[in-house]
Amino acid sequence: MISRAQVPIENKQTTRNRIYQLVYQKGRISKPEIASQLGISLPTAIQNVKNLRADGLLKEGEVLDSTGGRKAVSVVCEKNAKFAIGTDITRNHVSIVLINLATEIIESTRFEIPYENTQAYYQEVVNCIGELVAVSGIKTEHILGAGFSVPGVLTRDGQMIIYSHVLQVSALPCSTISRGLGFPSVLCNDANAAGFAEMWKHKYRTDAVFLSLSDTVGGAILLHNELYLGENQRGGEFGHMTLVQDGLPCYCGQKGCMDAYCSALVLSRHTGGSLELFFKKLAEGDKAILAVWEQYLSFLTMAVNNLLVSFDCSLILGGYLGEYLEGYIDDLRKSTMKISTFTGNEDYITACSYRKEAAAVGAALFFVRPFIKQL
Ligand SMILES: [Zn+2]
């Protein structure tokens, strides 16, 4: 028999982490239920919960309904034990969010600022992050780090932008963007970040494909709760699937890419750059706008069908278009059904849950997730 002193530390950490993750997933749970679900003894569950409470990571929740006998007090996560920052950098905007461990947005800001590869621009972004933290009143030692979502291909460690067509930069280190910030920082691809945030909202899903329909088209592949990045971190670049042989020119230099037919610009260029106005006119039945939409939908249907045939799992549509799509998802399902080889594939299509902040929240999750997995 192993005495208490001989129990390897690794085992202790594993049990502690398994308990924390279970409470995080369930939202609230009793100690007997923790013991039962993890196959550990009740004293072990009680001791670990006690330690996690002492560390400020768990706390007592409400009394759970009981079917008889003593009522059990639930255990819940201390969602404000730690926080993380997410910043989404686009060509014309910056969005910043400060989230807690439950991914609740505590503070956020979004402002127009054209991207420039200058120290003045990065300093402005870093100053805004600092102001957001100051407004929140959260102590800096409680902030895990800051994730930066960018449209581009990155090194696997998230410490450099290899290149970005949208931002027109290459070999840009994360440390240049986050200079003077005072937190650990990491870069993540914008579509991967947004897709990751959507997946996090739907914990029951383990596989999904995210299609980002913004001024450029991107995507993310999430398999077994992990991002699939590909050999060169270029997985999920759905915008450059060929839809039309020798078709319209794409910004990548090729012709006929999905991006040229399905980016948000394809719609907003008909309403002076305003997607909001496009969907307003569409809702009002504007004939010219309706014709543009129907053509757009026909190309989107093709792309969506190709993705569903390839992945056979949930397909979440987001990006700039995401906030307008809810009312048109049924149209897309119907048009997909018409060209789909497999019955029921159209049911996989859903609109995103987040409106504007998905990529910023996803960037912050790049710090929340490792914390939850490794504490
Ligand atoms: Zn292309």
Side-chain angles (χ1 to χ4, degrees):
M1 189 182 145
I2 299 175
S3 75
R4 184 165 293 207
Q6 289 172 309
V7 173
I9 288 170
E10 201 176 305
N11 270 354
K12 273 190 175 175
Q13 285 175 332
T14 305
T15 304
R16 171 184 161 91
N17 185 249
R18 285 170 70 211
I19 289 173
Y20 183 80
Q21 288 203 40
L22 182 67
V23 179
Y24 188 88
Q25 276 173 6
K26 296 284 177 189
R28 55 177 196 157
I29 186 169
S30 70
K31 282 173 259 189
E33 193 62 19
I34 291 172
S36 151
Q37 292 217 10
L38 296 181
I40 57 177
S41 72
L42 184 58
T44 301
I46 289 170
Q47 185 58 46
N48 276 281
V49 167
K50 193 178 167 192
N51 293 345
L52 283 160
R53 280 182 60 184
D55 292 342
L57 295 165
L58 295 182
K59 62 180 183 181
E60 263 189 13
E62 60 208 79
V63 176
L64 294 168
D65 289 337
S66 169
T67 49
R70 257 179 76 188
K71 287 195 172 180
V73 175
S74 66
V75 177
V76 298
C77 285
E78 177 45 86
K79 61 187 180 184
N80 292 322
K82 294 284 176 190
F83 301 86
I85 296 157
T87 302
D88 181 32
I89 293 178
T90 73
R91 188 157 40 192
N92 294 310
H93 294 94
V94 171
S95 294
I96 307 170
V97 296
L98 175 64
I99 65 168
N100 64 12
L101 292 177
T103 64
E104 292 167 345
I105 297 174
I106 308 298
E107 295 287 344
S108 70
T109 183
R110 179 180 159 87
F111 49 94
E112 271 189 43
I113 175 172
Y115 174 79
E116 278 175 18
N117 184 18
T118 62
Q119 203 49 53
Y121 173 90
Y122 301 128
Q123 192 59 54
E124 174 84 23
V125 173
V126 164
N127 289 347
C128 287
I129 294 172
E131 282 168 25
L132 206 73
V133 173
V135 166
S136 74
I138 291 162
K139 289 182 184 159
T140 50
E141 63 260 36
H142 290 148
I143 294 176
L144 297 166
F148 289 88
S149 145
V150 290
V153 177
L154 315 170
T155 51
R156 190 166 276 273
D157 64 2
Q159 289 305 315
M160 188 184 286
I161 301 176
I162 299 171
Y163 66 87
S164 166
H165 271 293
V166 176
L167 303 181
Q168 290 288 298
V169 290
S170 57
L172 177 67
C174 184
S175 56
T176 301
I177 298 172
S178 63
R179 187 170 295 160
L181 185 62
F183 306 117
S185 55
V186 71
L187 296 163
C188 46
N189 170 272
D190 56 353
N192 281 342
F196 198 55
E198 291 290 338
M199 275 289 280
W200 197 265
K201 271 218 164 182
H202 302 280
K203 293 192 181 86
Y204 56 90
R205 285 187 196 145
T206 58
D207 302 325
V209 170
F210 179 73
L211 181 59
S212 175
L213 302 166
S214 291
D215 284 356
T216 57
V217 175
I221 304 163
L222 297 120
L223 297 177
H224 314 305
N225 282 319
E226 298 289 340
L227 279 166
Y228 172 79
L229 299 175
E231 299 264 329
N232 300 291
Q233 287 69 250
R234 300 193 294 235
E237 287 287 350
F238 304 131
H240 306 291
M241 298 191 298
T242 308
L243 278 193
V244 179
Q245 189 179 27
D246 222 10
L248 294 173
C250 177
Y251 69 87
C252 73
Q254 293 295 344
K255 286 181 177 176
C257 291
M258 182 197 172
D259 196 286
Y261 297 87
C262 295
S263 84
L265 291 173
V266 172
L267 304 176
S268 65
R269 70 165 66 110
H270 296 274
T271 43
S274 168
L275 210 50
E276 189 181 356
L277 184 58
F278 181 92
F279 279 95
K280 184 171 176 282
K281 285 191 168 189
L282 182 62
E284 287 165 1
D286 183 308
K287 285 213 170 86
I289 292 295
L290 187 63
V292 172
W293 174 247
E294 281 178 351
Q295 192 181 36
Y296 179 91
L297 203 60
S298 71
F299 285 113
L300 183 61
T301 300
M302 248 196 283
V304 159
N305 186 51
N306 289 344
L307 293 176
L308 292 174
V309 166
S310 304
F311 291 99
D312 185 27
C313 67
S314 283
L315 176 66
I316 305 163
L317 302 185
Y320 294 173
L321 241 73
E323 65 178 295
Y324 304 102
L325 278 179
E326 192 68 57
Y328 301 94
I329 286 292
D330 273 347
D331 294 345
L332 182 61
R333 285 188 185 132
K334 279 179 196 151
S335 58
T336 303
M337 194 167 67
K338 279 187 196 157
I339 64 164
S340 177
T341 309
F342 303 110
T343 319
N345 256 9
E346 68 280 2
D347 296 337
Y348 283 135
I349 305 167
T350 56
C352 56
S353 310
Y354 285 98
R355 289 301 173 249
K356 286 192 166 64
E357 316 87 348
V361 170
L365 279 173
F366 276 66
F367 281 94
V368 170
R369 190 186 194 225
F371 176 78
I372 288 168
K373 286 190 94 171
Q374 289 158 25
L375 66 86

